[in-house]
Amino acid sequence: MAGTAGETPELIKVHSGAVEVPYDWHCGPYWSRFFRGLRDEKKIYATKCPSCGRVYIPPREVCGPCFARMDEWVEVGPEGVIEMFTVVRLPYTNPSTGEPLSVPYTDVYVRLDGADTSLMHWLDETDEKKIAVGMRVRAVFRDKRTGTMHDIEHFKLI
Amino acid sequence: MARRTAIVGIGQTYHCARRDDVNGQELINEAVTRALEDAGLTMKDIDAIVIGNMDHFEAINYVDGWSVDGSGAFMRPIMKLTTGGTSGMTVATAGYYHVASGFFDVVLAIGWEMNSSSDTTAAITTCCQPLIERDFFAGAIGPLAAEYTAYIKRFGATEEDAALVSVRDHNNALNNPHAHLRTRITVEDVMKSPVLCYPIKLLDMCPRSDGACALIYACEGKAEKLAPRPAWVHTIAGSRDFVYMGEPFQHEELITLERASARAYKRAGITDPLKEIDVMELYLPASTTGVKWMESLWVCGRGEAPRLIREGVFNMDGQLPVNPSGGPLATNPIGATAMIRVGEAALQIMGKAGDRQVPNVRTALATAFGSCSWSDVTILRDTKP
Ligand SMILES: [Zn+2]
């Protein structure tokens, strides 16, 4: 063994350094139409199940509970209701960039008018005393849009 | 018809925030060695191995391969499974399936995690769809915190109700020599601790632990010889739901736990879980879940959990003790956390839980929770199914 009597042998730890692995993610026809709606029309499109009638946001091909294919598109929002929220104060690393995230920010789950599921996004208010479940909010679109979730800058209280 | 199968050995490592003194393989070996000792077996007696963790926490893949020397898998069949937070119970379930199927008589199941290898919240966040939700998802804490705002609004629950759960689990951990956090706390301590994600505060949330757990499953005919009081598996049930975080149609409930526990109770012939179950070891990642998820376990009606918690029904001296071990709020090596629930439930059946033993346990329930929002349930008894 390394180390002599009376000494604690050194335990070595190795740090990986910043690891960057680039990925390509495919959106497919449903998300692509959703992102094109945000980018080109400032509209939020959802899909409706022919079997149970639920309106899904984000849109997708299959209703999981019914295992049914959805072909009907409907517009939802841009206003809705806060279903739940949290003000994030815990600092952690953004896994997409490796950079520390700046806190606080507010995650909000918005039940957009006409939808049966909620869209997760940011709210432009970080004082929890000013936010309540059930409050109405509205999507704020960016002027410069590129076809991502961030074409909506955030939601604001109305 | 499945073969009757029981847990006959449980091994847990020393759990703490940083196990700088071992590497992954050595940590796994510590749990395996202890499980073998507990069952009075050697590696020669093991027919097959199942192992699992969350690879992205350590960023080293294929633990089934690189841990072979330490896990004991040299020239044995080994299968690796990973399902997020539920991994430990998925691995335990597979251990049970290996024996119950009749293919193997004695099987070792291993869950482990070296959480200190990475920023756990960042790693967990990679479970979230990167194009749609990842940027709005603050690890495990964000959605759990948000869910509780909906529950508070609907049922008038309070942050103090959650704090009572935190106090119960932290103080129970004082009786558990394997617990990572062993500090007596009060409701005031919880309420004054820093907010992580409103309304969840530091002492409402599970820690990040390094550690491992191993279980040994044996078939009828061998189990009775290996353990004076084996913990017989009566049923295992699991449910999965949504793809997106905004998905559950009712955020106040945990629908996967409702469905999984209802199925498990039916199979085990349980009609009144509050009366018929003697102890529960629940995967409660946050104290808030120890309020709202009790309703999803059918021990009370909607919105009634806060009252039962204030009355102490789930305390060590209450009608249905929950988390005598301290649960995940005290110890959370994630890939092992759910397996520890099964192991602690088994210890309660076997009468080997030491200072945290609940008297006369004949039926014990363990749960697992994973992203998102997945639930598994295991029911163990001292009698054969
Ligand atoms: Zn449907």
Side-chain angles (χ1 to χ4, degrees), chain A residues 3-29:
Chain A
T4 54
E7 265 179 45
T8 306
E10 180 194 3
L11 290 160
I12 293 172
K13 185 170 81 178
V14 178
H15 184 63
S16 70
V19 179
E20 199 173 323
V21 185
Y23 291 89
D24 288 318
W25 289 307
H26 301 267
C27 292

mmCIF file of all heavy atoms in Angstrom, chain A residues 3-29:
data_model
loop_
_atom_site.group_PDB
_atom_site.id
_atom_site.type_symbol
_atom_site.label_atom_id
_atom_site.label_comp_id
_atom_site.label_asym_id
_atom_site.label_seq_id
_atom_site.Cartn_x
_atom_site.Cartn_y
_atom_site.Cartn_z
ATOM 1 N N GLY A 3 1.646 5.134 1.122
ATOM 2 C CA GLY A 3 1.513 5.804 2.412
ATOM 3 C C GLY A 3 2.174 5.002 3.516
ATOM 4 O O GLY A 3 2.119 3.783 3.542
ATOM 5 N N THR A 4 2.769 5.689 4.430
ATOM 6 C CA THR A 4 3.454 5.015 5.528
ATOM 7 C C THR A 4 2.579 5.059 6.764
ATOM 8 O O THR A 4 1.546 5.723 6.775
ATOM 9 C CB THR A 4 4.798 5.719 5.820
ATOM 10 O OG1 THR A 4 4.530 7.107 6.030
ATOM 11 C CG2 THR A 4 5.751 5.576 4.664
ATOM 12 N N ALA A 5 2.978 4.325 7.793
ATOM 13 C CA ALA A 5 2.179 4.230 9.013
ATOM 14 C C ALA A 5 1.865 5.621 9.560
ATOM 15 O O ALA A 5 2.723 6.493 9.575
ATOM 16 C CB ALA A 5 2.929 3.417 10.047
ATOM 17 N N GLY A 6 0.616 5.825 9.972
ATOM 18 C CA GLY A 6 0.239 7.103 10.556
ATOM 19 C C GLY A 6 -0.249 8.106 9.538
ATOM 20 O O GLY A 6 -0.821 9.116 9.897
ATOM 21 N N GLU A 7 -0.012 7.839 8.271
ATOM 22 C CA GLU A 7 -0.475 8.757 7.226
ATOM 23 C C GLU A 7 -1.742 8.216 6.583
ATOM 24 O O GLU A 7 -1.881 7.009 6.411
ATOM 25 C CB GLU A 7 0.567 8.823 6.105
ATOM 26 C CG GLU A 7 1.545 9.960 6.223
ATOM 27 C CD GLU A 7 2.533 9.898 5.065
ATOM 28 O OE1 GLU A 7 2.113 9.683 3.914
ATOM 29 O OE2 GLU A 7 3.734 10.049 5.349
ATOM 30 N N THR A 8 -2.664 9.105 6.194
ATOM 31 C CA THR A 8 -3.811 8.672 5.397
ATOM 32 C C THR A 8 -3.398 8.739 3.934
ATOM 33 O O THR A 8 -2.990 9.803 3.459
ATOM 34 C CB THR A 8 -5.012 9.604 5.635
ATOM 35 O OG1 THR A 8 -5.257 9.674 7.032
ATOM 36 C CG2 THR A 8 -6.251 9.079 4.932
ATOM 37 N N PRO A 9 -3.470 7.609 3.230
ATOM 38 C CA PRO A 9 -3.060 7.662 1.816
ATOM 39 C C PRO A 9 -3.942 8.633 1.037
ATOM 40 O O PRO A 9 -5.135 8.727 1.289
ATOM 41 C CB PRO A 9 -3.282 6.227 1.332
ATOM 42 C CG PRO A 9 -3.436 5.394 2.546
ATOM 43 C CD PRO A 9 -3.940 6.289 3.628
ATOM 44 N N GLU A 10 -3.340 9.360 0.134
ATOM 45 C CA GLU A 10 -4.079 10.338 -0.669
ATOM 46 C C GLU A 10 -5.112 9.650 -1.554
ATOM 47 O O GLU A 10 -4.815 8.654 -2.215
ATOM 48 C CB GLU A 10 -3.082 11.106 -1.544
ATOM 49 C CG GLU A 10 -3.754 12.157 -2.408
ATOM 50 C CD GLU A 10 -2.823 12.668 -3.519
ATOM 51 O OE1 GLU A 10 -1.701 12.161 -3.630
ATOM 52 O OE2 GLU A 10 -3.266 13.560 -4.260
ATOM 53 N N LEU A 11 -6.348 10.175 -1.592
ATOM 54 C CA LEU A 11 -7.381 9.691 -2.497
ATOM 55 C C LEU A 11 -7.511 10.693 -3.636
ATOM 56 O O LEU A 11 -7.674 11.889 -3.398
ATOM 57 C CB LEU A 11 -8.718 9.537 -1.759
ATOM 58 C CG LEU A 11 -8.754 8.393 -0.748
ATOM 59 C CD1 LEU A 11 -9.881 8.591 0.256
ATOM 60 C CD2 LEU A 11 -8.875 7.048 -1.446
ATOM 61 N N ILE A 12 -7.416 10.223 -4.845
ATOM 62 C CA ILE A 12 -7.352 11.116 -6.011
ATOM 63 C C ILE A 12 -8.719 11.259 -6.665
ATOM 64 O O ILE A 12 -9.446 10.285 -6.834
ATOM 65 C CB ILE A 12 -6.318 10.578 -7.030
ATOM 66 C CG1 ILE A 12 -4.921 10.694 -6.401
ATOM 67 C CG2 ILE A 12 -6.401 11.340 -8.362
ATOM 68 C CD1 ILE A 12 -3.825 10.045 -7.189
ATOM 69 N N LYS A 13 -9.070 12.485 -7.016
ATOM 70 C CA LYS A 13 -10.312 12.749 -7.742
ATOM 71 C C LYS A 13 -9.959 13.451 -9.050
ATOM 72 O O LYS A 13 -9.105 14.336 -9.065
ATOM 73 C CB LYS A 13 -11.219 13.648 -6.894
ATOM 74 C CG LYS A 13 -12.577 13.880 -7.507
ATOM 75 C CD LYS A 13 -13.519 14.566 -6.550
ATOM 76 C CE LYS A 13 -13.253 16.062 -6.531
ATOM 77 N NZ LYS A 13 -14.188 16.769 -5.646
ATOM 78 N N VAL A 14 -10.579 13.069 -10.138
ATOM 79 C CA VAL A 14 -10.287 13.650 -11.448
ATOM 80 C C VAL A 14 -11.522 14.365 -11.972
ATOM 81 O O VAL A 14 -12.602 13.781 -12.017
ATOM 82 C CB VAL A 14 -9.857 12.551 -12.449
ATOM 83 C CG1 VAL A 14 -9.591 13.147 -13.826
ATOM 84 C CG2 VAL A 14 -8.620 11.823 -11.932
ATOM 85 N N HIS A 15 -11.376 15.625 -12.354
ATOM 86 C CA HIS A 15 -12.492 16.383 -12.929
ATOM 87 C C HIS A 15 -12.459 16.242 -14.451
ATOM 88 O O HIS A 15 -11.398 16.320 -15.064
ATOM 89 C CB HIS A 15 -12.378 17.858 -12.514
ATOM 90 C CG HIS A 15 -13.537 18.689 -12.994
ATOM 91 N ND1 HIS A 15 -14.816 18.466 -12.572
ATOM 92 C CD2 HIS A 15 -13.595 19.711 -13.881
ATOM 93 C CE1 HIS A 15 -15.631 19.335 -13.161
ATOM 94 N NE2 HIS A 15 -14.912 20.102 -13.961
ATOM 95 N N SER A 16 -13.622 16.033 -15.056
ATOM 96 C CA SER A 16 -13.663 15.770 -16.498
ATOM 97 C C SER A 16 -13.351 17.010 -17.324
ATOM 98 O O SER A 16 -12.991 16.900 -18.491
ATOM 99 C CB SER A 16 -15.053 15.266 -16.891
ATOM 100 O OG SER A 16 -15.991 16.322 -16.784
ATOM 101 N N GLY A 17 -13.531 18.205 -16.742
ATOM 102 C CA GLY A 17 -13.521 19.410 -17.569
ATOM 103 C C GLY A 17 -14.856 19.518 -18.269
ATOM 104 O O GLY A 17 -15.701 18.630 -18.143
ATOM 105 N N ALA A 18 -15.088 20.603 -18.998
ATOM 106 C CA ALA A 18 -16.366 20.779 -19.693
ATOM 107 C C ALA A 18 -16.459 19.752 -20.819
ATOM 108 O O ALA A 18 -15.538 19.601 -21.614
ATOM 109 C CB ALA A 18 -16.470 22.192 -20.241
ATOM 110 N N VAL A 19 -17.557 19.019 -20.841
ATOM 111 C CA VAL A 19 -17.770 18.014 -21.884
ATOM 112 C C VAL A 19 -18.851 18.531 -22.815
ATOM 113 O O VAL A 19 -19.941 18.876 -22.368
ATOM 114 C CB VAL A 19 -18.221 16.672 -21.265
ATOM 115 C CG1 VAL A 19 -18.475 15.639 -22.352
ATOM 116 C CG2 VAL A 19 -17.164 16.177 -20.275
ATOM 117 N N GLU A 20 -18.538 18.649 -24.083
ATOM 118 C CA GLU A 20 -19.535 19.150 -25.031
ATOM 119 C C GLU A 20 -19.767 18.104 -26.117
ATOM 120 O O GLU A 20 -18.855 17.712 -26.825
ATOM 121 C CB GLU A 20 -19.048 20.465 -25.652
ATOM 122 C CG GLU A 20 -20.180 21.242 -26.267
ATOM 123 C CD GLU A 20 -19.717 22.619 -26.735
ATOM 124 O OE1 GLU A 20 -18.876 23.230 -26.059
ATOM 125 O OE2 GLU A 20 -20.207 23.049 -27.788
ATOM 126 N N VAL A 21 -20.996 17.600 -26.191
ATOM 127 C CA VAL A 21 -21.350 16.616 -27.214
ATOM 128 C C VAL A 21 -22.524 17.178 -28.015
ATOM 129 O O VAL A 21 -23.618 17.310 -27.489
ATOM 130 C CB VAL A 21 -21.759 15.273 -26.580
ATOM 131 C CG1 VAL A 21 -21.999 14.226 -27.663
ATOM 132 C CG2 VAL A 21 -20.697 14.793 -25.597
ATOM 133 N N PRO A 22 -22.299 17.579 -29.272
ATOM 134 C CA PRO A 22 -23.402 18.148 -30.049
ATOM 135 C C PRO A 22 -24.361 17.066 -30.569
ATOM 136 O O PRO A 22 -23.934 15.977 -30.935
ATOM 137 C CB PRO A 22 -22.702 18.841 -31.222
ATOM 138 C CG PRO A 22 -21.297 18.377 -31.215
ATOM 139 C CD PRO A 22 -21.048 17.521 -30.024
ATOM 140 N N TYR A 23 -25.647 17.381 -30.561
ATOM 141 C CA TYR A 23 -26.671 16.447 -31.049
ATOM 142 C C TYR A 23 -27.536 17.120 -32.104
ATOM 143 O O TYR A 23 -27.703 18.339 -32.095
ATOM 144 C CB TYR A 23 -27.592 16.022 -29.895
ATOM 145 C CG TYR A 23 -26.934 15.152 -28.849
ATOM 146 C CD1 TYR A 23 -26.293 15.723 -27.747
ATOM 147 C CD2 TYR A 23 -26.962 13.759 -28.963
ATOM 148 C CE1 TYR A 23 -25.681 14.928 -26.790
ATOM 149 C CE2 TYR A 23 -26.365 12.958 -28.000
ATOM 150 C CZ TYR A 23 -25.720 13.548 -26.919
ATOM 151 O OH TYR A 23 -25.129 12.762 -25.966
ATOM 152 N N ASP A 24 -28.111 16.302 -32.997
ATOM 153 C CA ASP A 24 -29.151 16.771 -33.917
ATOM 154 C C ASP A 24 -30.462 16.112 -33.510
ATOM 155 O O ASP A 24 -30.530 14.885 -33.410
ATOM 156 C CB ASP A 24 -28.823 16.368 -35.365
ATOM 157 C CG ASP A 24 -27.681 17.189 -35.920
ATOM 158 O OD1 ASP A 24 -27.662 18.410 -35.668
ATOM 159 O OD2 ASP A 24 -26.802 16.607 -36.580
ATOM 160 N N TRP A 25 -31.487 16.913 -33.281
ATOM 161 C CA TRP A 25 -32.783 16.371 -32.891
ATOM 162 C C TRP A 25 -33.795 16.609 -34.002
ATOM 163 O O TRP A 25 -33.916 17.724 -34.513
ATOM 164 C CB TRP A 25 -33.261 17.041 -31.591
ATOM 165 C CG TRP A 25 -32.475 16.617 -30.389
ATOM 166 C CD1 TRP A 25 -32.232 15.334 -29.982
ATOM 167 C CD2 TRP A 25 -31.834 17.465 -29.426
ATOM 168 N NE1 TRP A 25 -31.481 15.337 -28.819
ATOM 169 C CE2 TRP A 25 -31.231 16.621 -28.465
ATOM 170 C CE3 TRP A 25 -31.726 18.838 -29.273
ATOM 171 C CZ2 TRP A 25 -30.520 17.114 -27.368
ATOM 172 C CZ3 TRP A 25 -31.020 19.342 -28.188
ATOM 173 C CH2 TRP A 25 -30.426 18.481 -27.252
ATOM 174 N N HIS A 26 -34.567 15.575 -34.347
ATOM 175 C CA HIS A 26 -35.548 15.675 -35.426
ATOM 176 C C HIS A 26 -36.920 16.022 -34.864
ATOM 177 O O HIS A 26 -37.375 15.411 -33.916
ATOM 178 C CB HIS A 26 -35.618 14.352 -36.192
ATOM 179 C CG HIS A 26 -34.307 13.961 -36.785
ATOM 180 N ND1 HIS A 26 -33.957 14.296 -38.071
ATOM 181 C CD2 HIS A 26 -33.243 13.308 -36.259
ATOM 182 C CE1 HIS A 26 -32.731 13.851 -38.306
ATOM 183 N NE2 HIS A 26 -32.270 13.252 -37.233
ATOM 184 N N CYS A 27 -37.546 17.009 -35.447
ATOM 185 C CA CYS A 27 -38.839 17.464 -34.936
ATOM 186 C C CYS A 27 -40.015 16.660 -35.492
ATOM 187 O O CYS A 27 -41.034 16.539 -34.825
ATOM 188 C CB CYS A 27 -39.049 18.936 -35.279
ATOM 189 S SG CYS A 27 -37.914 19.993 -34.389
ATOM 190 N N GLY A 28 -39.902 16.143 -36.705
ATOM 191 C CA GLY A 28 -41.034 15.432 -37.301
ATOM 192 C C GLY A 28 -42.131 16.413 -37.714
ATOM 193 O O GLY A 28 -42.064 17.611 -37.433
ATOM 194 N N PRO A 29 -43.182 15.905 -38.401
ATOM 195 C CA PRO A 29 -44.189 16.808 -38.981
ATOM 196 C C PRO A 29 -45.025 17.561 -37.941
ATOM 197 O O PRO A 29 -45.441 18.693 -38.201
ATOM 198 C CB PRO A 29 -45.067 15.876 -39.816
ATOM 199 C CG PRO A 29 -44.736 14.490 -39.386
ATOM 200 C CD PRO A 29 -43.364 14.505 -38.810
#
